[in-house]
Amino acid sequence: MKVLVVDFIYNMVEPIIMNCDYINALSKFCDVTVYGLKGFYKKGMLEQGVHLHEYKSVGERGRGIKRIIDSLYVMHGASRFDKKNEFDYIFVLSYDTRAMALGYHFFRKPKRLYLMNHYNIDSLERKSCIFFYNHYKNRVNQLVLEPFFKEPLVQKYKVKETLVHYVPHKAHSLGGGVADCEPKYDCVGISNSNNEELVESIICLEKEHRVFADKRVILRSKKDEYDDGCLKVINR
């Protein structure tokens, strides 16, 4: 089985370690090719059996309209590469909610696309994003990192339940590998863009009031570390 792995958001740096974990896990039972920005994946990040096809940079990562254009650039290049190699499935590590409305047309049999949802579900609070999302929501497969993210997609946004799949977040398998599908945390917030003041406040609340006494929560901080068995804050 041939699988293409790609970030549709140009130069999406933040989750690279998590991405590599998913890619390397897939490579254990699939023939995996990564379509990536030149120089993005460093030596040793990917397993020896993973193929890497690099595309040229178009400059710094942009915002607004430039972000959409950059995303379409990646999708167009990936679709041409797909046509030459005829992949069975395309595992999309990140995508722009708006750009996908046009970009999915680039691919033959778009149901081969499996889109990883990060901030995308939150973006649907904006009517403009819902407009774009409705064009493709039932024409591709979608992946969520937490089981409870499936409900709003199915119930609120009317995505077919058979098209939404749960893939465990890396945090659920710390120490056990991606294949461990039993959730170990009730709440996961390990983005590199977490608000440091908010994380610090959460730590203080837990120290004073034990607000997570019956929960397991993991957060990421750039400066703090904490672990009382209920709240875990990692700094890596």
Side-chain angles (χ1 to χ4, degrees):
M1 181 169 56
K2 294 172 62 177
V3 177
L4 177 65
V5 180
V6 58
D7 263 309
F8 282 162
I9 294 184
Y10 172 75
N11 200 12
M12 183 69 169
V13 177
E14 287 83 356
I16 187 169
I17 296 176
M18 182 177 72
N19 288 356
C20 289
D21 284 343
Y22 286 131
I23 292 167
N24 292 332
L26 278 171
S27 72
K28 297 184 185 303
F29 54 91
C30 301
D31 181 8
V32 176
T33 299
V34 176
Y35 184 83
L37 176 65
K38 186 174 182 180
F40 185 78
Y41 290 98
K42 308 301 183 185
K43 185 177 180 181
M45 284 184 171
L46 303 177
E47 296 287 350
Q48 192 170 0
V50 176
H51 313 290
L52 177 60
H53 180 87
E54 296 183 312
Y55 64 86
K56 294 181 180 179
S57 169
V58 292
E60 293 297 318
R61 179 172 153 193
R63 294 184 177 183
I65 296 299
K66 186 178 187 305
R67 173 191 170 102
I68 294 175
I69 293 172
D70 290 345
S71 182
L72 290 171
Y73 164 78
V74 178
M75 284 189 273
H76 184 254
S79 68
R80 294 180 63 186
F81 184 66
D82 170 49
K83 287 176 183 176
K84 292 179 181 178
N85 294 274
E86 297 184 342
F87 292 98
D88 298 302
Y89 298 99
I90 301 172
F91 188 72
V92 180
L93 295 167
S94 68
Y95 72 100
D96 183 274
T97 307
R98 299 159 297 176
M100 182 55 63
L102 175 60
Y104 88 91
H105 289 287
F106 297 160
F107 295 86
R108 60 180 179 85
K109 299 179 181 178
K111 284 259 172 73
R112 295 178 302 130
L113 294 169
Y114 284 74
L115 309 183
M116 182 75 79
N117 283 278
H118 296 286
Y119 70 92
N120 307 87
I121 298 174
D122 291 335
S123 75
L124 297 178
E125 295 297 322
R126 301 196 297 271
K127 290 183 179 180
S128 60
C129 285
I130 294 177
F131 171 79
F132 290 108
Y133 183 71
N134 285 340
H135 284 277
Y136 59 87
K137 65 182 182 183
N138 285 314
R139 292 183 169 91
V140 298
N141 281 275
Q142 302 191 48
L143 305 174
V144 294
L145 296 171
E146 296 288 346
F148 58 82
F149 287 152
K150 184 174 181 176
E151 183 176 347
L153 290 181
V154 174
Q155 300 296 328
K156 184 175 181 179
Y157 300 112
K158 308 304 179 184
V159 181
K160 294 178 182 177
E161 188 171 3
T162 55
L163 296 177
V164 184
H165 315 277
Y166 165 52
V167 176
H169 198 292
K170 177 190 172 187
H172 290 322
S173 56
L174 291 174
V178 172
D180 181 1
C181 294
E182 182 65 30
K184 295 181 179 179
Y185 292 95
D186 298 292
C187 179
V188 176
I190 58 173
S191 168
N192 284 318
S193 60
N194 282 347
N195 184 305
E196 293 296 330
E197 291 183 4
L198 179 59
V199 173
E200 187 176 346
S201 298
I202 291 172
I203 293 173
C204 290
L205 277 172
E206 174 65 8
K207 286 180 177 179
E208 293 177 12
H209 304 291
R210 295 283 293 174
V211 292
F212 300 116
D214 59 345
K215 301 292 183 183
R216 293 291 310 282
V217 177
I218 183 168
L219 305 173
R220 185 191 299 276
S221 170
K222 293 178 181 176
K223 61 179 183 179
D224 295 315
E225 284 188 282
Y226 182 79
D227 189 353
D228 66 356
C230 297
L231 172 64
K232 182 172 185 177
V233 179
I234 58 176
N235 181 359
R236 64 176 185 270

